[in-house]
Amino acid sequence: MEASYQVLEQLYKEVLLEATLENDSQEYAFHLNLSFSAQDLSTSNFLKWPSVHHGDQANSVNVDTFPTPTASINLKMNFQVNNPRDIMLLQLTVIKMMITKILSTKMEFSIKEKYSDIIEILLKPYELESKLISTFHGSDKLLSHMAAKCLASILYLQLREKAIINKTWTAFCLKTLSDYPESNAISYCLWTLTAVIKEILKATCLQKTEILKQFLTSFDSPFEVFYYSVFSQYFENCQDSLLNPRITNFLICFLEFLEILIASRIYLKLHFTCQRIFYLNISCALDIITWPIHSLVKKKFIILIKRCLLHKVGEDALKTSFSTSVIQDPYLDMDMLALGNAFLQAVNLGWLKQLTISRKPSHFGGSEVQPGNKSLLVPDLIMLRASSLVLLKSLEIKAHNCTSAIEIKVELQKFMSELLAVLKHHLPSSLKLNHHCEWLSKIFIEQDDDMLEAAKASLGIYQKLTRAWNEAAKGTTQEKETWDHQTHENGLNPHCIFLFLLKNIDFDATVLLDFLISSETCFLEYFVRYLKLLQVERNHFLKVCKFFDVAELRDDMHISSTFTSYIEKRHSNEAPHQPHFCGTNYALLPLTSDPTSSGTNIEQRDNQTMKSKQPNLLICTDNTSSLGAFQRLVDYDSSEESEEESVEEECLSSIKQTPLNHQANMKIRETVNMTEEKNQNILDFNARLLDPKKSSTLSSLGCEATLNNTASQTVISSKTLKCLKELEEAISRLQRRHLFPYNPSALLKLLKHTEMINKTVNLL
């Protein structure tokens, strides 16, 4: 055994250094032959391993003919010479390395040919694939995983070099799929299938479509039967499913295999049943959220549906994105409609209400909330984000395939009210919605790509239904106002959504520029579509801006009332008065504060609002400039005629990003760390502004008059148009210096049209 280990150690070093192998291929194959089965490794039979091979025996190797290593190799593992498990792990490692070298295009032909001869000997006389498969039935997970990696490499090597499918492995897979759930090797079967398809998709050879077609032909029909058997209520009767790692591992492997199958369909334009079954028969799979299984499996399942609807299946695994030119599938639109309708039908039956949202933080590494620290008990927004986006995309698909405006309007109101009710139930008080359209920015604030996908989907729904509704209503003003009100109630008003997006980035044009330059989001497509809508709905946009201004003033008045109560409490030690609220009709002003909250919640919200709204309060009271909410991410104020900066430095500065949360923390620290004297000055100033002795309480009439005066100022519209103007100037500057990554001419034309809104504002 010790002599064989020395030979393998030396062989490992030579393969690692891509050195020429001097000995005969038969000799190397003998030492790489797996001499033990899984049963041998799990019992005391490993003691029968021969320690010395004599040269006069058949098929033996004289160890003395191999050069003795001059130095030991750092294998980063503590191998024990008398342990056959470690010997087998080293054998699998060397085999996997050889196959990797064969597949490499940088290897010398002579060395690659030597490796191929050794692998060929291992496959034919020694039946390597059968021995690798036998390890799947053992209890050693590391050994089984290494064997699966070797087997996947061998299968792909045979497909690429000889265009043949290993019959031994095919028979094993067909039997394993048909024997489910009794088979205990199903996870390794699926993992190997996934790995092979992934390698085919990553390959640069031109015939990979034919290779995959040949590969999937044998598994098409058996996989359909297997698919239905997985979702046949098998796990509902297994109460230990949540704690059973074997079931969790199997379901994860199954979902990953489904994803790579769908990715191969989109990328290579194949239409096997196994590639379409997830679209056409999703109904039986949606019950997975009620199973007693690990939450990770449920998340992967919902995310898989989301990726299917967004055409992003397999992007993480393949490290690439599918362009629109690649997505040319005559059945894809029909399958997407079937998937969306099935999901909406499930939601109609209460699917969203069955979601289990964890109240623990979803930190990497599985951090647990410490006892007594209830502040960290926030909902896991991954499930809510993915489910909300799937619902929006399903509604968008249905809206574009529906001709009746009344029917889709009823469906939209039903499903969006269901979604908003679920969000209201799960969201904590810190994410409470004061406006139905605010839900999108609240739950997607930490996921830019999904947020913009959701915004684009909501915009698509709005545009489709607006056209249909205008045609049905024949353009009457009353019907238009009714439809506008319903878009607010359903949380899908595109102008509100865009304004909330700008408020979240503090109207910073450089953040929008970063979105336009980046290829990680669909912001360009969404932004172009919204700018086109803005040209048509200028008056509607200005009306929404006025509503935002009114709501902003209401918040400031609420803060001022809180300051007054705080002063009275400090000087008279009396209980603070309840803040006054202005009565406002929701139909006229969608953004409203909730006066029904408890006193404790009001105080907590007041404290948070005092910190976040102080700059706005200063603007409203003394007309001074506010503190900068965020530092500019990119400085475009430098003179264009300056010759001191090189083009390269300008390019680098134009794409440099500073994390927004860091800037937000700077703002919070600036506000919170104000000295007691400055705090007292602000409190005294607001006390004079709202002196109870001089102005008693705010009457509803006076409040409405103040709101109307503020609404005429259109502060939000000014900020928005200024932001768009700065964005236009930045893009123009980059275009003139040939630093913009694509031709922005059409985008610049749309941005120039926003100047017409300024003229409309001046006429109001």
Side-chain angles (χ1 to χ4, degrees):
M1 181 183 298
E2 182 177 359
S4 296
Y5 174 76
Q6 292 178 357
V7 173
L8 290 172
E9 187 181 32
Q10 178 64 19
L11 181 59
Y12 173 88
K13 181 178 180 180
E14 292 177 349
V15 174
L16 185 65
L17 299 177
E18 300 181 0
T20 303
L21 301 182
E22 301 294 341
N23 289 47
D24 186 66
S25 300
Q26 290 282 351
E27 299 175 353
Y28 293 107
F30 177 81
H31 283 276
L32 289 173
N33 178 32
L34 305 181
S35 302
F36 291 98
S37 64
Q39 292 77 12
D40 293 332
L41 294 176
S42 60
T43 62
S44 59
N45 292 335
F46 67 87
L47 297 176
K48 300 178 181 179
W49 177 276
S51 58
V52 178
H53 299 280
H54 300 284
D56 56 350
Q57 294 181 351
N59 296 328
S60 63
V61 181
N62 187 356
V63 180
D64 295 335
T65 60
F66 286 87
T68 304
T70 57
S72 60
I73 304 173
N74 182 15
L75 300 179
K76 299 183 181 180
M77 298 179 65
N78 185 19
F79 285 109
Q80 298 179 8
V81 177
N82 60 348
N83 190 340
R85 178 181 181 271
D86 293 341
I87 294 291
M88 187 174 291
L89 287 173
L90 182 56
Q91 289 173 324
L92 295 174
T93 302
V94 175
I95 294 173
K96 180 67 172 63
M97 289 173 59
M98 283 187 172
I99 299 174
T100 303
K101 301 294 185 181
I102 295 173
L103 296 172
S104 175
T105 58
K106 300 179 180 180
M107 282 288 297
E108 295 183 10
F109 177 77
S110 59
I111 300 178
K112 185 182 298 187
E113 188 177 21
K114 186 74 170 183
Y115 292 166
S116 299
D117 292 341
I118 297 174
I119 299 299
E120 194 67 27
I121 296 172
L122 289 172
L123 289 174
K124 288 185 177 178
Y126 293 118
E127 298 181 349
L128 176 62
E129 64 271 43
S130 299
K131 295 179 180 179
L132 292 174
I133 292 173
S134 67
T135 61
F136 298 160
H137 301 283
S139 59
D140 195 317
K141 296 181 180 180
L142 177 58
L143 198 61
S144 299
H145 179 67
M146 286 295 300
K149 293 181 66 176
C150 283
L151 183 59
S153 299
I154 291 173
L155 296 173
Y156 174 65
L157 177 66
Q158 292 178 327
L159 281 169
R160 201 189 77 166
E161 299 296 328
K162 299 182 179 180
I164 61 174
I165 299 179
N166 193 289
K167 295 182 179 180
T168 303
W169 178 74
T170 302
F172 159 74
C173 286
L174 295 178
K175 185 176 186 307
T176 303
L177 295 177
S178 62
D179 290 346
Y180 175 81
E182 283 75 17
S183 176
N184 59 356
I186 184 64
S187 297
Y188 296 106
C189 173
L190 294 174
W191 190 93
T192 309
L193 283 166
T194 304
V196 174
I197 298 177
K198 191 182 299 183
E199 290 299 324
I200 294 175
L201 294 179
K202 289 180 180 179
T204 57
C205 55
L206 299 177
Q207 68 274 17
K208 58 184 177 182
T209 301
E210 293 299 325
I211 293 176
L212 185 61
K213 185 176 181 180
Q214 181 185 4
F215 182 78
L216 293 178
T217 301
S218 304
F219 301 98
D220 195 28
S221 297
F223 182 78
E224 183 177 3
V225 178
F226 171 70
Y227 177 88
Y228 287 111
S229 63
V230 172
F231 297 112
S232 61
Q233 313 299 323
Y234 170 68
F235 295 104
E236 287 192 353
N237 299 324
C238 299
Q239 297 301 324
D240 62 337
S241 299
L242 182 62
L243 303 177
N244 193 332
R246 185 180 65 85
I247 294 178
T248 301
N249 185 49
F250 157 68
L251 290 174
I252 290 176
C253 290
F254 176 66
L255 293 176
E256 290 178 350
F257 180 57
L258 276 175
E259 181 172 2
I260 205 68
L261 274 178
I262 299 170
S264 65
R265 167 199 181 162
I266 297 175
Y267 191 67
L268 298 181
K269 308 181 188 68
L270 296 176
H271 317 115
F272 284 94
T273 303
C274 61
Q275 297 172 306
R276 301 180 60 195
I277 191 171
F278 189 70
Y279 292 87
L280 301 176
N281 298 281
I282 189 67
S283 300
C284 64
L286 289 171
D287 291 335
I288 193 174
I289 65 166
T290 63
W291 291 359
I293 56 177
H294 201 285
S295 61
L296 175 62
V297 179
K298 300 179 182 180
K299 291 179 185 179
K300 288 183 70 70
F301 174 75
I302 298 176
I303 290 175
L304 176 58
I305 302 177
K306 180 192 76 173
R307 289 175 176 173
C308 289
L309 294 174
L310 298 180
H311 301 296
K312 292 185 177 182
V313 185
E315 284 191 357
D316 293 341
L318 302 176
K319 307 300 182 183
T320 185
S321 60
F322 303 122
S323 62
T324 54
S325 60
V326 174
I327 305 173
Q328 298 175 356
D329 189 334
Y331 304 102
L332 190 58
D333 291 339
M334 178 179 64
D335 293 352
M336 292 276 285
L337 180 60
L339 176 59
N341 286 337
F343 184 81
L344 292 178
Q345 183 179 2
V347 172
N348 192 33
L349 298 175
W351 188 88
L352 284 176
K353 297 178 181 178
Q354 295 176 321
L355 285 176
T356 54
I357 306 299
S358 174
R359 305 297 295 184
K360 296 180 180 180
S362 56
H363 296 311
F364 179 79
S367 301
E368 296 290 337
V369 177
Q370 297 299 325
N373 193 359
K374 296 183 179 181
S375 62
L376 295 178
L377 290 176
V378 295
D380 185 2
L381 296 180
I382 296 178
M383 296 279 283
L384 287 177
R385 278 197 294 261
S387 302
S388 302
L389 185 51
V390 169
L391 179 61
L392 272 184
K393 290 298 296 183
S394 300
L395 283 173
E396 183 186 19
I397 294 172
K398 186 168 186 177
H400 284 282
N401 288 274
C402 186
T403 57
S404 173
I406 301 296
E407 176 187 356
I408 190 59
K409 184 183 75 71
V410 173
E411 294 292 310
L412 175 65
Q413 188 170 3
K414 176 176 61 177
F415 288 116
M416 289 307 300
S417 61
E418 178 82 8
L419 175 61
L420 292 174
V422 171
L423 294 177
K424 182 179 179 181
H425 174 72
H426 288 292
L427 289 178
S429 58
S430 60
L431 296 178
K432 185 178 178 180
L433 301 180
N434 296 322
H435 186 311
H436 286 172
C437 297
E438 195 178 9
W439 73 271
L440 196 148
S441 59
K442 287 285 188 181
I443 69 170
F444 288 103
I445 190 62
E446 298 178 355
Q447 196 75 27
D448 291 345
D449 53 348
D450 282 356
M451 178 178 65
L452 295 172
E453 288 286 356
K456 187 181 73 171
S458 65
L459 179 59
I461 297 172
Y462 176 85
Q463 290 177 318
K464 172 66 177 179
L465 295 185
T466 299
R467 288 191 296 267
W469 187 257
N470 289 337
E471 294 175 359
K474 298 181 180 180
T476 61
T477 304
Q478 183 179 0
E479 294 293 342
K480 181 64 169 65
E481 292 180 354
T482 302
W483 170 240
D484 291 341
H485 176 68
Q486 289 176 348
T487 60
H488 289 291
E489 284 187 335
N490 296 327
L492 290 179
N493 187 279
H495 305 295
C496 293
I497 291 174
F498 183 70
L499 291 176
F500 278 122
L501 170 62
L502 292 184
K503 289 187 69 175
N504 284 335
I505 64 174
D506 200 53
F507 297 89
D508 192 343
T510 57
V511 179
L512 300 183
L513 179 63
D514 181 63
F515 281 153
L516 288 173
I517 293 175
S518 174
S519 61
E520 297 178 357
T521 68
C522 64
F523 179 74
L524 175 60
E525 183 180 357
Y526 161 73
F527 193 47
V528 168
R529 292 171 64 179
Y530 178 74
L531 291 178
K532 291 181 179 179
L533 176 69
L534 192 58
Q535 295 182 29
V536 181
E537 298 191 356
R538 294 196 297 263
N539 293 332
H540 187 193
F541 166 76
L542 294 175
K543 185 186 297 185
V544 172
C545 288
K546 290 182 180 181
F547 292 160
F548 271 71
D549 291 333
V550 173
E552 190 78 12
L553 181 61
R554 287 172 57 86
D555 291 342
D556 292 339
M557 288 183 175
H558 181 69
I559 299 167
S560 300
S561 176
T562 305
F563 276 126
T564 304
S565 301
Y566 178 73
I567 294 172
E568 293 176 352
K569 181 178 179 180
R570 288 188 58 186
H571 292 285
S572 63
N573 293 325
E574 295 179 359
H577 299 291
Q578 291 291 337
H580 301 284
F581 292 88
C582 304
T584 309
N585 187 355
Y586 178 79
L588 297 177
L589 181 57
L591 274 87
T592 59
S593 300
D594 186 6
T596 61
S597 303
S598 63
T600 303
N601 291 335
I602 289 177
E603 290 182 5
Q604 292 177 353
R605 187 172 67 248
D606 291 343
N607 293 335
Q608 294 175 357
T609 310
M610 287 167 57
K611 296 178 181 179
S612 61
K613 296 295 182 181
Q614 280 182 0
N616 292 333
L617 180 62
L618 295 177
I619 293 176
C620 297
T621 55
D622 61 358
N623 294 324
T624 58
S625 61
S626 66
L627 298 174
F630 299 121
Q631 296 178 3
R632 294 178 61 93
L633 300 185
V634 189
D635 187 7
Y636 289 100
D637 295 333
S638 58
S639 174
E640 290 183 24
E641 290 76 14
S642 176
E643 310 236 347
E644 298 179 358
E645 298 181 358
S646 64
V647 174
E648 182 178 2
E649 291 176 350
E650 179 70 13
C651 180
L652 292 176
S653 66
S654 67
I655 63 174
K656 183 179 180 181
Q657 301 182 41
T658 304
L660 287 181
N661 52 2
H662 172 71
Q663 303 296 342
N665 290 334
M666 292 294 294
K667 175 186 175 183
I668 294 173
R669 283 195 292 270
E670 287 180 4
T671 305
V672 174
N673 294 334
M674 294 176 68
T675 62
E676 183 66 25
E677 180 180 358
K678 291 183 179 180
N679 281 327
Q680 186 62 47
N681 291 336
I682 295 175
L683 296 174
D684 292 342
F685 180 85
N686 286 278
R688 292 193 300 271
L689 179 67
L690 295 173
D691 190 351
K693 298 179 181 180
K694 297 180 180 180
S695 59
S696 62
T697 60
L698 291 172
S699 65
S700 60
L701 181 62
C703 179
E704 291 178 1
T706 308
L707 294 178
N708 290 332
N709 292 334
T710 305
S712 63
Q713 298 174 6
T714 61
V715 177
I716 295 295
S717 64
S718 299
K719 289 183 178 180
T720 302
L721 297 176
K722 179 183 177 183
C723 176
L724 296 179
K725 183 63 177 178
E726 292 176 352
L727 178 63
E728 178 192 348
E729 293 173 352
I731 296 175
S732 300
R733 183 176 293 111
L734 289 175
Q735 183 189 28
R736 287 194 297 269
R737 299 186 180 187
H738 305 288
L739 297 178
F740 207 73
Y742 52 88
N743 185 5
S745 300
L747 179 60
L748 289 173
K749 290 181 181 179
L750 291 173
L751 287 171
K752 288 183 181 299
H753 282 295
T754 59
E755 298 177 0
M756 297 297 298
I757 303 180
N758 276 321
K759 299 180 180 180
T760 305
V761 174
N762 296 329
L763 295 176
L764 294 179

